[in-house]
Amino acid sequence: MGKVYERIDGRLRTFIEQQKIFFTATAPLAGDGTVNLSPKGLAGSFAVLDELTVAYLDFAGSNAETIAHLRENGRITLMWCAFTGPPNIVRVHGRGEPVFRDDPRFAELVRHFPEVDIDTHGLRAIIVVTAELIRDTCGYAVPFMDYREERTLHGDRFRRENDETLDRYFQKKEHVASSIDGLPGLPLPLPPRPGRS
Protein backbone atom coordinates (compact mmCIF):
# COMPACT_ATOMS: atom_id res chain seq x y z
CA MET A 1 0.00 0.00 0.00
CA GLY A 2 2.56 2.63 1.07
CA LYS A 3 5.83 3.55 -0.58
CA VAL A 4 8.93 5.51 0.40
CA TYR A 5 10.38 7.92 -2.18
CA GLU A 6 13.91 9.22 -2.54
CA ARG A 7 12.87 12.53 -4.05
CA ILE A 8 9.94 14.77 -4.92
CA ASP A 9 9.57 14.45 -8.67
CA GLY A 10 7.39 12.99 -11.41
CA ARG A 11 3.89 11.88 -10.38
CA LEU A 12 4.57 12.59 -6.71
CA ARG A 13 5.45 16.21 -7.40
CA THR A 14 2.46 16.60 -9.72
CA PHE A 15 0.15 15.20 -7.03
CA ILE A 16 1.50 17.57 -4.36
CA GLU A 17 1.28 20.62 -6.60
CA GLN A 18 -2.31 19.85 -7.64
CA GLN A 19 -3.73 19.74 -4.12
CA LYS A 20 -5.72 22.75 -2.92
CA ILE A 21 -4.83 22.27 0.74
CA PHE A 22 -2.08 20.72 2.82
CA PHE A 23 -1.41 20.35 6.52
CA THR A 24 1.64 21.08 8.67
CA ALA A 25 2.43 19.41 12.00
CA THR A 26 5.08 20.54 14.49
CA ALA A 27 5.76 20.11 18.19
CA PRO A 28 8.12 21.46 20.83
CA LEU A 29 10.73 19.21 22.40
CA ALA A 30 8.97 19.24 25.77
CA GLY A 31 6.87 16.12 26.28
CA ASP A 32 4.00 18.16 27.67
CA GLY A 33 4.28 20.84 24.97
CA THR A 34 1.45 21.72 22.60
CA VAL A 35 1.43 19.85 19.28
CA ASN A 36 0.38 22.12 16.42
CA LEU A 37 -1.50 21.06 13.30
CA SER A 38 -2.40 23.68 10.70
CA PRO A 39 -4.22 23.67 7.35
CA LYS A 40 -2.55 25.66 4.59
CA GLY A 41 -4.24 26.86 1.45
CA LEU A 42 -4.22 29.88 -0.85
CA ALA A 43 -3.43 29.02 -4.46
CA GLY A 44 0.21 29.58 -5.37
CA SER A 45 1.54 29.76 -1.79
CA PHE A 46 3.39 26.41 -1.97
CA ALA A 47 6.39 25.58 -4.17
CA VAL A 48 8.70 22.65 -4.82
CA LEU A 49 12.18 24.22 -4.91
CA ASP A 50 14.09 21.07 -5.83
CA GLU A 51 13.81 17.30 -5.41
CA LEU A 52 14.27 17.47 -1.63
CA THR A 53 13.21 21.02 -0.75
CA VAL A 54 9.79 22.65 -0.59
CA ALA A 55 8.63 26.01 0.72
CA TYR A 56 5.41 27.80 1.57
CA LEU A 57 4.42 31.34 2.46
CA ASP A 58 3.63 32.04 6.10
CA PHE A 59 1.02 34.76 6.40
CA ALA A 60 -0.36 36.96 9.14
CA GLY A 61 -2.45 35.08 11.66
CA SER A 62 -3.42 34.75 15.29
CA ASN A 63 -0.36 32.76 16.38
CA ALA A 64 3.06 31.56 15.30
CA GLU A 65 3.26 28.01 16.65
CA THR A 66 4.92 26.54 13.56
CA ILE A 67 7.57 29.27 13.54
CA ALA A 68 8.25 28.79 17.26
CA HIS A 69 8.61 25.03 16.97
CA LEU A 70 10.87 25.29 13.94
CA ARG A 71 13.07 27.83 15.68
CA GLU A 72 13.42 25.45 18.63
CA ASN A 73 13.94 22.09 16.92
CA GLY A 74 13.23 22.23 13.17
CA ARG A 75 10.97 19.15 13.04
CA ILE A 76 8.00 19.33 10.67
CA THR A 77 5.70 17.05 8.71
CA LEU A 78 3.68 18.21 5.70
CA MET A 79 0.71 16.16 4.52
CA TRP A 80 -1.48 16.19 1.39
CA CYS A 81 -4.68 14.17 0.89
CA ALA A 82 -6.44 13.33 -2.33
CA PHE A 83 -10.03 14.55 -1.99
CA THR A 84 -10.65 13.81 -5.69
CA GLY A 85 -9.31 11.11 -7.98
CA PRO A 86 -7.47 8.00 -6.77
CA PRO A 87 -7.00 7.77 -2.99
CA ASN A 88 -3.60 8.91 -1.78
CA ILE A 89 -1.92 10.55 1.19
CA VAL A 90 1.61 11.95 0.91
CA ARG A 91 3.77 12.99 3.84
CA VAL A 92 7.07 14.83 3.80
CA HIS A 93 8.90 14.51 7.11
CA GLY A 94 11.82 16.87 7.41
CA ARG A 95 13.59 19.84 8.85
CA GLY A 96 12.04 23.25 8.48
CA GLU A 97 13.30 26.77 8.86
CA PRO A 98 11.45 30.07 8.90
CA VAL A 99 13.15 32.57 6.59
CA PHE A 100 12.19 35.99 7.85
CA ARG A 101 11.74 39.16 5.84
CA ASP A 102 15.16 40.57 6.76
CA ASP A 103 17.01 37.38 5.75
CA PRO A 104 19.17 37.86 2.61
CA ARG A 105 17.52 34.75 1.09
CA PHE A 106 14.00 36.16 1.42
CA ALA A 107 13.89 38.17 -1.83
CA GLU A 108 15.08 35.23 -3.93
CA LEU A 109 12.73 32.76 -2.24
CA VAL A 110 9.66 34.95 -2.70
CA ARG A 111 10.19 34.77 -6.48
CA HIS A 112 9.01 31.14 -6.36
CA PHE A 113 5.47 32.39 -5.64
CA PRO A 114 4.55 34.63 -8.59
CA GLU A 115 0.80 33.94 -8.33
CA VAL A 116 0.46 35.44 -4.85
CA ASP A 117 0.14 39.14 -4.13
CA ILE A 118 2.15 39.17 -0.93
CA ASP A 119 1.06 42.71 -0.07
CA THR A 120 -2.49 41.42 0.26
CA HIS A 121 -1.85 38.73 2.88
CA GLY A 122 0.64 40.14 5.38
CA LEU A 123 3.55 37.88 4.50
CA ARG A 124 5.75 37.42 7.56
CA ALA A 125 8.06 34.51 6.64
CA ILE A 126 8.76 31.76 4.14
CA ILE A 127 8.95 28.26 5.59
CA VAL A 128 11.60 26.15 3.85
CA VAL A 129 11.49 22.39 4.44
CA THR A 130 14.22 19.90 3.57
CA ALA A 131 12.78 16.40 3.22
CA GLU A 132 14.27 13.57 5.27
CA LEU A 133 11.55 10.99 4.62
CA ILE A 134 9.01 11.09 1.79
CA ARG A 135 6.21 8.52 1.81
CA ASP A 136 2.69 7.86 0.73
CA THR A 137 -0.14 5.74 2.09
CA CYS A 138 -3.42 4.56 0.62
CA GLY A 139 -5.90 7.21 1.71
CA TYR A 140 -8.80 4.76 1.37
CA ALA A 141 -10.72 6.39 4.23
CA VAL A 142 -10.32 9.98 2.97
CA PRO A 143 -13.70 11.17 1.69
CA PHE A 144 -14.37 12.70 -1.71
CA MET A 145 -14.79 16.45 -1.42
CA ASP A 146 -15.21 19.07 -4.13
CA TYR A 147 -13.20 22.26 -4.34
CA ARG A 148 -15.37 25.31 -5.02
CA GLU A 149 -13.18 28.39 -4.79
CA GLU A 150 -10.61 30.26 -2.72
CA ARG A 151 -11.86 32.22 0.27
CA THR A 152 -11.17 35.94 0.03
CA LEU A 153 -11.45 36.71 3.75
CA HIS A 154 -7.72 36.60 4.55
CA GLY A 155 -6.82 38.97 1.73
CA ASP A 156 -9.79 41.20 2.54
CA ARG A 157 -8.60 41.45 6.15
CA PHE A 158 -4.86 42.01 5.61
CA ARG A 159 -4.67 44.03 2.37
CA ARG A 160 -5.37 47.20 4.33
CA GLU A 161 -2.25 46.70 6.48
CA ASN A 162 1.23 48.11 5.88
CA ASP A 163 4.41 47.00 7.64
CA GLU A 164 3.84 49.41 10.54
CA THR A 165 0.21 48.47 11.19
CA LEU A 166 0.96 44.77 10.67
CA ASP A 167 3.67 44.99 13.33
CA ARG A 168 1.17 46.59 15.73
CA TYR A 169 -1.29 43.78 14.98
CA PHE A 170 1.35 41.15 15.79
CA GLN A 171 2.44 42.99 18.95
CA LYS A 172 -1.14 42.81 20.28
CA LYS A 173 -1.56 39.08 19.64
CA GLU A 174 -0.76 36.86 22.60
CA HIS A 175 0.88 33.98 20.71
CA VAL A 176 2.82 35.59 17.86
CA ALA A 177 6.05 36.77 19.55
CA SER A 178 6.00 33.60 21.64
CA SER A 179 4.21 30.26 21.34
CA ILE A 180 1.50 28.84 23.60
CA ASP A 181 4.33 27.13 25.52
CA GLY A 182 6.47 30.29 25.71
CA LEU A 183 8.95 29.50 22.92
CA PRO A 184 10.25 32.41 20.80
CA GLY A 185 7.95 32.94 17.84
CA LEU A 186 7.93 35.66 15.20
CA PRO A 187 10.75 38.18 15.83
CA LEU A 188 9.29 41.60 16.52
CA PRO A 189 9.36 44.39 15.60
CA LEU A 190 8.50 43.07 12.17
CA PRO A 191 11.30 43.96 9.76
CA PRO A 192 10.30 45.60 6.46
CA ARG A 193 10.37 43.45 3.36
CA PRO A 194 13.40 43.78 1.06
CA GLY A 195 13.23 46.97 -0.97
CA ARG A 196 11.28 48.82 1.71
CA SER A 197 12.53 51.01 4.49
Side-chain angles (χ1 to χ4, degrees):
M1 276 201 222
K3 181 178 177 182
V4 173
Y5 298 84
E6 292 186 8
R7 60 188 59 86
I8 301 167
D9 62 4
R11 286 186 299 123
L12 182 68
R13 177 174 179 162
T14 299
F15 171 79
I16 287 173
E17 291 177 334
Q18 287 177 342
Q19 303 315 304
K20 302 295 186 185
I21 187 171
F22 66 99
F23 302 86
T24 67
T26 59
L29 292 176
D32 61 350
T34 306
V35 176
N36 188 63
L37 177 64
S38 295
K40 302 293 179 184
L42 189 61
S45 64
F46 174 84
V48 177
L49 304 185
D50 63 40
E51 294 177 335
L52 291 176
T53 314
V54 300
Y56 68 88
L57 301 177
D58 181 78
F59 297 114
S62 298
N63 60 49
E65 297 303 299
T66 300
I67 285 175
H69 296 160
L70 293 180
R71 290 183 71 186
E72 184 205 34
N73 62 65
R75 299 177 305 162
I76 188 168
T77 299
L78 309 179
M79 185 186 78
W80 296 262
C81 300
F83 294 114
T84 61
N88 195 19
I89 299 171
V90 172
R91 290 178 180 88
V92 171
H93 307 265
R95 309 294 295 177
E97 175 190 10
V99 176
F100 298 115
R101 295 159 35 131
D102 57 349
D103 188 300
R105 300 170 293 170
F106 188 89
E108 180 59 34
L109 283 168
V110 84
R111 291 187 182 118
H112 289 276
F113 308 93
E115 297 174 40
V116 179
D117 177 1
I118 58 176
D119 289 323
T120 300
H121 294 280
L123 180 63
R124 59 188 188 181
I126 300 171
I127 307 298
V128 178
V129 177
T130 302
E132 295 179 335
L133 174 63
I134 306 160
R135 62 190 184 95
D136 69 4
T137 53
C138 67
Y140 290 170
V142 175
F144 284 111
M145 292 195 287
D146 295 325
Y147 171 80
R148 279 199 341 228
E149 61 189 18
E150 295 286 313
R151 292 182 192 262
T152 62
L153 295 172
H154 193 272
D156 293 345
R157 163 62 185 89
F158 288 101
R159 79 170 32 95
R160 62 182 179 245
E161 304 286 354
N162 58 36
D163 287 349
E164 183 180 317
T165 61
L166 195 58
D167 181 67
R168 285 199 301 267
Y169 169 81
F170 290 145
Q171 299 272 5
K172 288 190 282 186
K173 291 293 181 182
E174 184 178 7
H175 298 300
V176 172
S178 64
S179 74
I180 293 170
D181 301 310
L183 296 172
L186 185 69
L188 296 175
L190 185 69
R193 288 206 327 269
R196 296 186 175 188
S197 53

